[in-house]
Amino acid sequence: VEITVFAAASMTEPVDQIIEQYKTVAPNVTVVPTYDSSGALLTQIQEGADCDLFISAAPKQMNALDGSLKDDAEKNPDGLDMIDSSTRLNLLENKVTLAVPAGNPKGVESFDQLAELLKSGGVLLAMGNSDVPVGQYTQKIFTFYGLDEAALNAAGVLTYGSNVKEVTTQVTEAAVDCGVIYATDAFSAGLTVVDSATKEMCGQVIYPAAVLSGSQHAAEAKAFLDYLSTPEAMAIFESVGFSAA
């Protein structure tokens, strides 16, 4: 049996490891992962892409497919019922961090300092697009500091990535002075983290998971989802900076 897993780009390294490990647990199951921004994955699912299990980097993208929320126009604007709500769970928690290139050439030290540097035009920040969870968390941080994203963009102090991996690459290549990425991506890329966002700044970073209601292999997809919560799988998630939700 082959199952297709759509997972947030920030999960690439640990999920690849867990899939390798899972081969010894369920040798008859082949897990095929697709990694991208949660917004892009949501769009693919809405357009009928073949997917058995979805793991997003924020509740927003999962809510949009959750039929138990179809009377809530804000959470599920299109009234879609595409996941098996009984399988939905909060799998992981991540942290939103401020990461800098090697040597930290601009001496960026904190989100507090970043807010001042952005106002003065003294820094170039990479962030995710507005349809990407890491971009949405960054927008919440801007709101927390009273920053106007449109004005900052017009001032030329922002660059964008279509998923967290693109933002991470901009920081790694020192194309920017700093970037807002997840703790896990900073860890996987070997980047220095100078600050972590608090819950007050951008809320909790929760990764929900659920089996798709249209899955042809729902039992196998649910078994893999169950495996992701085991101590063996969680040890891999925790090794890159995730924690159990």
Side-chain angles (χ1 to χ4, degrees), residues 58-76:
K60 179 180 179 178
Q61 287 74 22
M62 191 66 74
N63 291 343
L65 301 171
D66 193 336
S68 69
L69 301 171
K70 63 176 182 281
D71 294 331
D72 187 331
E74 190 182 335
K75 288 184 175 173
N76 187 344

Side-chain angles (χ1 to χ4, degrees), residues 111 137 140-141 144-145 195-203:
F111 278 111
Y137 291 122
K140 288 179 181 175
I141 292 168
F144 178 82
Y145 284 107
D195 201 2
S196 295
T198 62
K199 201 155 90 173
E200 291 70 37
M201 288 161 69
C202 65

Side-chain angles (χ1 to χ4, degrees), residues 99-109 171-172 174 176-177 190-194:
V100 295
N104 191 6
K106 276 288 169 74
V108 180
E109 292 170 1
V171 181
T172 302
V176 293
D177 302 314
L191 289 169
T192 300
V193 168
V194 294

Side-chain angles (χ1 to χ4, degrees), residues 215-227:
S215 170
Q216 300 298 301
H217 307 291
E220 289 83 1
K222 176 69 166 64
F224 182 64
L225 175 55
D226 290 344
Y227 184 75

